[in-house]
Amino acid sequence: MSSLTHFNISLSSAVVPTCLKTTTIIPVPKKSPVSCLNDYRPIALTPIIMKCFKRLGMRQIKDLLPSSLDPMQFAYCPNHSMDDAISTTLHLSFTHLENKDTYVRMLFIDFSSAFNTIIPQHLTEKLSLLGINTSLCNWILDFLTGRPQSVRIRNSTSSTTTLNTGAPQGCVLSPLLFILLTHDCAAIHSSNHIIKFTDDMTMVGLISKNHESAYREEVQRLTAWCKANNLSLNVEKTKEMVVDFRRAQSDHSPLEIKGSNVEIVKSTKFLGVHLAEDLTWSLNTSSITKKAQQCLYFL
């Protein structure tokens, strides 16, 4: 029997065999040197046939999705890419800065273990509201619950535990599920925009005449939305950048999230591109040149 036939049987019965959901986690360092457990990215290894199932499931979901999803989500959308997310962010900023007495505040949001905190029941409720049929919703719910998981480091393997929350890291279906979970997280004030690319979110606040109330309310609303959806903001890694070209600049007070101030930085890395507070390309060009020189050295 082909993978498609197996998938159709699994889909019609809304059951994913436990042997196919069994996952082995391989911790991969996010950076070097590693100083704590959060510096590891847990990559999930699953059976080959399950990888086929997940790709078929992703195709089913994408075929059923309505065209009215958040226009500020640039991942897994036809004719949209990471470059579009970057250019949209810059276009919104430059267009606003052409007006008198204006500046821009950009909040680069970081989630703590975003995929691991997904509540399957909550996710399938949102999928149902988006028009995904009950059979597929139940299949996704069964796929995300009752997952046996163990951790392997070199030749050592931990004991197995069963998970009923989250989505496997490294799974081709997980980013799409996260996008659908966050589809209703959108700015309500016209002076703010939430740019999304999978789990990368950036809030662009277009400030005029020092009136920041709408922007700060939007941040508080985002914090409340995250709490309601079981997503945790990592305040330490969340950064803010202020773009202010006015001659008479005022001090910009930091945002407060969960009792901690968000660090205001002069530059940051956004979707692989280095952005600076003056919105020039010097920093990004220097970074690319440095990488090219390193490659040429090895050659």
Side-chain angles (χ1 to χ4, degrees):
M1 296 175 70
S2 65
S3 295
L4 182 59
T5 304
H6 283 294
F7 176 73
N8 287 335
I9 295 173
S10 175
L11 184 62
S12 62
S13 59
V15 173
V16 179
T18 303
C19 61
L20 298 183
K21 294 191 287 185
T22 302
T23 304
T24 301
I25 300 296
I26 307 295
V28 176
K30 296 179 184 178
K31 62 178 184 178
S32 182
V34 173
S35 58
C36 63
L37 291 177
N38 284 334
D39 290 339
Y40 287 98
R41 178 175 286 107
I43 301 300
L45 302 183
T46 55
I48 297 296
I49 191 172
M50 193 62 220
K51 295 182 184 295
C52 298
F53 274 27
K54 287 181 286 191
R55 290 190 178 278
L56 291 169
M58 182 173 68
R59 186 179 301 174
Q60 288 266 340
I61 295 171
K62 291 175 72 173
D63 289 342
L64 293 172
L65 285 178
S67 58
S68 58
L69 286 176
D70 186 359
M72 289 298 176
Q73 173 61 259
F74 292 90
Y76 287 85
C77 297
N79 303 318
H80 285 74
S81 67
M82 187 183 297
D83 293 339
D84 293 314
I86 297 169
S87 60
T88 299
T89 302
L90 294 176
H91 176 73
L92 289 170
S93 302
F94 280 123
T95 303
H96 180 68
L97 290 168
E98 290 178 353
N99 301 316
K100 186 179 179 181
D101 197 14
T102 59
Y103 60 95
V104 176
R105 297 189 73 144
M106 298 183 186
L107 182 66
F108 300 92
I109 300 158
D110 186 89
F111 294 107
S112 297
S113 303
F115 293 167
N116 295 338
T117 59
I118 294 175
I119 299 177
Q121 292 79 3
H122 190 181
L123 171 64
T124 51
E125 288 174 6
K126 291 195 175 189
L127 292 178
S128 180
L129 292 175
L130 283 172
I132 305 298
N133 61 60
T134 303
S135 176
L136 186 53
C137 287
N138 290 337
W139 185 87
I140 293 170
L141 179 62
D142 191 77
F143 163 63
L144 294 177
T145 54
R147 292 182 290 116
Q149 177 176 290
S150 60
V151 179
R152 189 175 71 207
I153 300 177
R154 297 186 180 90
N155 296 324
S156 301
T157 304
S158 70
S159 58
T160 302
T161 186
T162 301
L163 298 182
N164 292 300
T165 58
Q169 185 87 271
C171 164
V172 68
L173 190 56
S174 297
L176 179 58
L177 295 179
F178 187 84
I179 288 171
L180 298 178
L181 176 70
T182 59
H183 82 277
D184 58 347
C185 177
I188 58 173
H189 297 283
S190 59
S191 59
N192 303 302
H193 303 271
I194 299 179
I195 310 296
K196 307 176 195 171
F197 194 87
T198 315
D199 59 334
D200 287 298
M201 281 193 191
T202 302
M203 181 181 292
V204 181
L206 309 178
I207 316 298
S208 300
K209 299 179 180 179
N210 294 321
H211 296 320
E212 296 187 351
S213 56
Y215 172 69
R216 292 181 178 272
E217 286 174 10
E218 198 75 72
V219 173
Q220 294 303 317
R221 177 183 166 277
L222 173 64
T223 305
W225 181 91
C226 289
K227 184 177 181 180
N229 287 271
N230 201 42
L231 292 174
S232 177
L233 288 175
N234 188 338
V235 183
E236 289 185 4
K237 292 186 178 180
T238 295
K239 307 296 180 184
E240 189 183 28
M241 190 172 71
V242 181
V243 182
D244 192 348
F245 295 157
R246 298 174 301 173
R247 291 183 179 178
Q249 297 183 15
S250 57
D251 291 334
H252 301 286
S253 56
L255 289 170
E256 183 177 305
I257 297 178
K258 298 194 297 186
S260 301
N261 288 338
V262 176
E263 181 184 2
I264 297 178
V265 296
K266 294 184 178 296
S267 63
T268 191
K269 198 171 185 180
F270 171 54
L271 296 177
V273 173
H274 291 273
L275 291 184
E277 61 181 358
D278 58 2
L279 294 186
T280 63
W281 292 104
S282 302
L283 182 63
N284 191 63
T285 303
S286 299
S287 176
I288 294 173
T289 303
K290 184 178 179 180
K291 285 185 178 180
Q293 289 173 340
Q294 290 173 344
C295 293
L296 286 172
Y297 173 78
F298 287 112
L299 289 174

